[in-house]
């Protein structure tokens, strides 16, 4: 049932109307992650083509002890926590070293958050978990009261932000962190285009299913009536922009109903809707960029192929 009075549905519909009326057309990527989207993303991370998660987990295995030592005892706050499966490595390093530890996962998916909280509380008696349901911006006002803390932003999720959004994000981070806080950032690095293209076009089709799910969600929550069979997934690495661009291409004309707004938007056959970008980084460039926001790189952990990196950051000690 579609409840047109629900504020979440209206907000989703407004965001969709805004993006779909723009040129080029787009949808905000946070709507990819409902319960189904989070489940589909987990499938992507298990494909042989998607090297990011596997490489990050291996890096965490090698480096969490060093990280826990460098930061000292601290509250762990995680942006976009999802299933937090890889965070367990960090949590166990901190509980082993420091005993009782606070963990504050922040996620837009209420279901993922509830599941994560339940699973972790059972497995780590020394851990106190308090989830925050919302976009990661909703965590910033809480940070001063959680200091000393380590802000975790893993999975190269930062790559989803465009340049303007990233600038805002980093100034907010810098304002919210005090000089005794740290941030652990996971980023995917620039590499050959073929490897990246494969990661976003897995043979089993989970990437395509993930892209289509945002339209399935519109059907479920906004009564959009989109023919999902009339949508193709299109993802390609653009070396000149150092980013993957992910689109849904309409293979037929679609009438997109936004029931909460009582509006319909037409998409012609051949038109594309951008659902996501995924930025890839050069290490020196990234460190210089973060420095502009008053964040210093304490340590960089990277794999032998320099495929992926973990950066331990802290506010400049001025
Ligand atoms: C969760 C944003 C890191 O950009 O690699 C994977 C999302 N989308 N395949 C990424 C994603 C399609 C992923 N992040």
């Amino acid at each position: 049932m579609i409840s047109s009075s629900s504020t979440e549905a209206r907000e989703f519909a407004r965001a969709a109307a805004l993006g779909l009326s723009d040129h080029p057309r787009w949808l905000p990527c946070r709507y990819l992650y409902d319960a189904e989207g989070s489940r589909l993303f987990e499938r992507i991370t298990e494909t042989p083509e998607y090297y990011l998660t596997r490489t990050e987990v291996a890096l965490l295995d090698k480096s969490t002890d060093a990280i826990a030592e460098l930061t000292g005892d601290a509250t762990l706050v995680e942006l976009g926590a999802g299933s937090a499966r890889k965070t367990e490595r960090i949590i166990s390093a901190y509980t082993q070293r420091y005993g009782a530890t606070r963990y504050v996962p922040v996620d837009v998916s209420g279901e993922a958050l509830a599941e994560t909280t339940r699973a972790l509380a059972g497995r780590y008696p020394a851990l106190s978990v308090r989830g925050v349901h919302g976009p990661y911006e909703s965590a910033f006002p809480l940070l001063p009261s959680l200091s000393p803390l380590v802000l975790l932003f893993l999975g190269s999720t930062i790559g989803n932000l465009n340049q303007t959004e990233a600038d805002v994000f980093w100034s907010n981070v810098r304002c919210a962190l005090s000089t005794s806080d740290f941030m652990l950032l996971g980023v995917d690095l620039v590499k050959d285009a073929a490897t990246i293209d494969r990661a976003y076009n897995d043979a089993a089709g989970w990437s395509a299913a993930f892209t289509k799910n945002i339209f399935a969600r519109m059907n479920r929550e906004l009564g959009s009536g989109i023919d999902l069979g009339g949508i193709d997934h299109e993802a390609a690495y653009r070396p000149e922009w150092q980013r993957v661009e992910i689109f849904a291409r309409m293979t037929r004309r679609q009438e997109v109903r936004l029931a909460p707004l009582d509006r319909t938007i037409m998409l012609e056959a051949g038109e594309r809707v951008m659902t996501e970008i995924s930025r890839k980084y050069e290490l020196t460039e990234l460190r210089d960029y973060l420095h502009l926001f008053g964040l210093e790189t304490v340590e960089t952990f990277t794999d032998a192929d320099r495929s992926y990196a973990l950066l331990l950051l802290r506010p400049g000690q001025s």
Side-chain angles (χ1 to χ4, degrees):
M1 197 197 76
I2 296 134
S3 136
S4 58
S5 61
S6 131
T7 32
E8 290 101 87
R10 287 185 63 84
E11 220 173 278
F12 184 14
R14 265 197 297 271
L18 212 70
L20 291 180
S21 326
D22 200 358
H23 182 82
R25 301 187 196 270
W26 59 282
L27 288 168
C29 62
R30 68 172 179 282
Y31 289 106
L32 289 161
Y33 299 92
D34 62 348
E36 178 64 4
S38 301
R39 195 186 66 83
L40 290 169
F41 178 66
E42 291 295 317
R43 293 282 91 77
I44 292 176
T45 66
E46 291 158 4
T47 64
E49 294 93 340
Y50 196 77
Y51 58 86
L52 289 82
T53 311
R54 184 170 323 115
T55 313
E56 185 176 61
V57 165
L59 269 178
L60 284 171
D61 278 337
K62 276 201 323 194
S63 51
T64 40
D65 280 328
I67 292 165
E69 165 126 47
L70 282 163
T71 67
D73 193 4
T75 296
L76 303 170
V77 182
E78 182 167 25
L79 304 180
S83 73
R85 211 175 305 138
K86 59 194 162 204
T87 321
E88 284 203 34
R89 285 155 164 90
I90 305 176
I91 290 169
S92 83
Y94 279 80
T95 51
Q96 267 172 40
R97 193 176 282 260
Y98 303 115
T101 302
R102 264 197 307 188
Y103 175 59
V104 182
V106 182
D107 206 283
V108 285
S109 167
E111 292 95 336
L113 205 58
E115 231 165 83
T116 299
T117 307
R118 211 175 319 115
L120 289 175
R123 233 164 302 162
Y124 299 91
L127 193 71
S128 83
V129 186
R130 174 160 79 94
V132 176
H133 182 208
Y136 33 70
E137 300 85 52
S138 57
F140 293 139
L142 308 173
L143 296 187
S145 69
L146 297 172
S147 185
L149 63 86
V150 182
L151 186 61
L152 307 170
F153 200 28
L154 301 174
S156 206
T157 305
I158 184 66
N160 267 176
L161 305 190
N162 66 33
Q163 191 63 53
T164 314
E165 292 165 337
D167 292 350
V168 171
F169 175 83
W170 288 112
S171 24
N172 286 337
V173 165
R174 177 60 191 93
C175 286
L177 294 185
S178 77
T179 49
S180 43
D181 298 333
F182 288 83
M183 177 161 183
L184 185 65
L185 176 70
V187 287
D188 194 18
L189 303 178
V190 165
K191 60 180 64 59
D192 69 285
T195 301
I196 301 175
D197 281 342
R198 274 196 298 274
Y200 292 85
N201 292 282
D202 65 288
W206 295 112
S207 302
F210 181 66
T211 298
K212 286 185 197 180
N213 177 59
I214 198 168
F215 297 94
R217 181 177 182 183
M218 289 171 69
N219 287 347
R220 290 191 288 269
E221 298 177 18
L222 309 177
S224 294
I226 299 162
D227 171 13
L228 301 175
I231 296 179
D232 278 351
H233 161 85
E234 233 178 63
Y237 181 59
R238 302 273 307 262
E240 68 278 35
W241 293 101
Q242 297 185 348
R243 69 187 205 181
V244 177
E245 296 181 345
I246 305 174
F247 295 94
R249 178 186 289 280
M250 304 303 129
T251 58
R252 49 156 284 194
R253 182 186 164 92
Q254 304 259 16
E255 249 179 62
V256 181
R257 177 101 187 112
L258 302 172
L261 302 180
D262 198 18
R263 260 188 81 173
T264 300
I265 292 175
M266 285 301 215
L267 303 179
E268 299 303 325
E271 275 202 273
R272 298 195 304 176
V273 177
M274 188 185 262
T275 54
E276 254 187 312
I277 58 168
S278 189
R279 177 76 200 268
K280 308 302 163 192
Y281 300 87
E282 297 269 14
L283 274 177
T284 42
E285 230 176 80
L286 176 61
R287 290 193 203 103
D288 289 349
Y289 171 77
L290 294 171
H291 183 80
L292 296 176
F293 294 90
L295 292 163
E296 305 305 328
T297 307
V298 177
E299 193 81 71
T300 305
F301 303 89
T302 184
D303 56 306
D305 297 335
R306 295 206 143 225
S307 173
Y308 197 94
L310 290 171
L311 274 65
L312 185 66
L313 310 169
R314 71 182 311 181
Q317 312 290 300
S318 51

